[in-house]
Amino acid sequence: MQPRTLQIGPLTSRFNQRMAGEHGAVALWQQDDAVRFLEAHGADFDILVTSARFGCTRAQLDLLPNLRAICSFGVGYDAIAVDEARRRGIQVSYTPDVLNDCVADLAMGLVIDCARRISAADRFVRAGLWPAGNYPLARKVSGKRLGIVGLGRIGKDVARRAGGFDMQVRYHNRRPDAAIPDGFEPDLLALARWADFLVLSCPGGAATHHLISAPVLDALGPEGILINVARGSVVDEEALVAALLEGRLGGAGLDVFEAEPRVPEALFALDNVVLAPHIGSGTEETRLQMEELVFANLRAFLDKGEVLTPVV
Ligand code: 8YV
């Protein structure tokens, strides 16, 4: 009997139609009451398709007693109850590597936008303010000091890009990375004190929750700029807003937020803050590659009993 697939939330219409057409996936989000549906039919499903955004909670897993695989669209899996999945022997796949370039590109774009105030300058011109006087001087990027929190696949691509701007790069990890032995900074506060830009590219989840605390923000200081392309949960957002409003932090480029898509409205008026709606992997090319990798993982599980890119 064909294993039964449940898709937990809508992705692109192309993805949704393909998953329904190729795998007969049932759309949980189209049910009148998702919990009632899982209580009544959860035992029917072998495979769950989800994303970094929709995840899969422990409570949802408990209502899927016969699940054998979870295939997620995205590289972050902090919204998936991975420990419980492992305990039950459920394979979990994600979509690493295919989105590294786009997320790293966005990180550097936010560095440059924040330092040179490009978005703010665009608003200045559109508001008709240029005839009244020149735009204020901004800050240089090339040759400055860039700190990276989380030197994983994406962090290494950020470091490579920063080298192209002749930037000095140091990083904070749980341990030094053999590929880049120099530049390891075991003390996050010391890295924040050193850096002109602090780029967050670490995983989300309990281990990094509020890792960027008020003391770290104060160490980065009134000349420092925070860039977050990781997860909103990595930053104490209340402390971040206070530091920006009180001028204790020089600026921020943010693609992720603790309660997204809700964003602290106190940030809206700040010209030293760039706000993006979680678009790190949001390009046609990359999202198509992520989609293909989800389908390849699902196909590999069905044909050989093993996903291709498991969360380890
Ligand atoms: C999401 C992301 O995948 O990959 C991740 O972890 O945060 C994004 O690329 C995308 O927003 C769909 O949920």
Side-chain angles (χ1 to χ4, degrees):
M1 182 174 158
Q2 167 86 350
R4 292 205 64 198
T5 301
L6 178 70
Q7 183 176 332
I8 203 165
L11 289 164
T12 64
S13 53
R14 177 189 62 214
F15 183 105
N16 301 340
Q17 288 163 18
R18 191 176 164 195
M19 192 57 74
E22 292 182 20
H23 299 287
V26 172
L28 183 60
W29 74 94
Q30 291 176 350
Q31 306 308 316
D32 293 336
D33 182 321
V35 175
R36 294 281 298 272
F37 177 86
L38 289 176
E39 287 168 343
H41 305 288
D44 299 345
F45 297 99
D46 308 275
I47 298 164
L48 179 73
V49 172
T50 187
S51 74
R53 176 186 164 203
F54 294 115
C56 178
T57 64
R58 168 66 191 271
Q60 289 168 324
L61 267 186
D62 291 346
L63 295 174
L64 294 159
N66 297 316
L67 204 65
R68 296 187 292 132
I70 297 172
C71 297
S72 183
F73 177 94
V75 69
Y77 48 85
D78 47 299
I80 299 173
V82 172
D83 291 343
E84 177 62 9
R86 280 198 188 104
R87 189 190 68 79
R88 286 178 43 186
I90 299 169
Q91 295 184 48
V92 182
S93 73
Y94 66 145
T95 59
D97 292 328
V98 293
L99 46 65
N100 297 354
D101 278 341
C102 281
V103 177
D105 289 349
L106 185 75
M108 289 308 295
L110 290 171
V111 164
I112 296 169
D113 194 339
C114 287
R116 300 299 304 274
R117 301 277 178 97
I118 301 171
S119 296
D122 175 87
R123 292 191 293 271
F124 173 84
V125 175
R126 293 174 192 263
L129 298 175
W130 193 2
N134 288 332
Y135 192 68
L137 296 179
R139 303 302 298 274
K140 186 176 179 180
V141 173
S142 289
K144 290 293 183 65
R145 297 187 299 265
L146 187 132
I148 297 172
V149 179
L151 195 78
R153 297 174 170 102
I154 292 172
K156 286 175 185 169
D157 279 355
V158 172
R160 191 158 51 84
R161 283 159 175 76
F165 287 85
D166 299 319
M167 298 179 87
Q168 305 162 59
V169 176
R170 294 183 62 76
Y171 67 94
H172 176 72
N173 251 12
R174 282 178 294 187
R175 64 187 71 82
D177 188 297
I180 312 182
D182 301 332
F184 173 60
E185 175 50 75
D187 179 345
L188 177 56
L189 282 172
L191 183 68
R193 280 192 291 270
W194 173 84
D196 297 306
F197 303 93
L198 192 66
V199 175
L200 310 185
S201 52
C202 54
T208 58
H209 184 261
H210 286 195
L211 177 66
I212 307 304
S213 60
V216 175
L217 296 169
D218 284 339
L220 187 52
E223 299 300 315
I225 291 175
L226 180 76
I227 304 296
N228 192 359
V229 293
R231 284 288 185 270
S233 61
V234 175
V235 181
D236 178 340
E237 200 164 83
E238 190 175 332
L240 172 64
V241 173
L244 288 165
L245 292 176
E246 295 163 18
R248 290 184 282 107
L249 181 65
L254 309 171
D255 186 44
V256 287
F257 305 85
E258 280 202 282
E260 65 187 57
R262 293 187 309 282
V263 176
E265 292 191 8
L267 299 177
F268 290 2
L270 300 181
D271 265 352
N272 59 337
V273 175
V274 178
L275 303 171
H278 201 152
I279 55 174
S281 65
T283 63
E284 292 286 346
E285 300 90 338
T286 288
R287 289 292 172 85
L288 189 57
Q289 284 184 287
M290 292 164 68
E291 174 180 318
E292 290 303 332
L293 189 48
V294 172
F295 279 87
N297 271 291
L298 180 45
R299 176 48 55 199
F301 181 76
L302 292 172
D303 294 346
K304 301 171 185 168
E306 284 192 5
V307 297
L308 295 176
T309 52
V311 167
V312 290

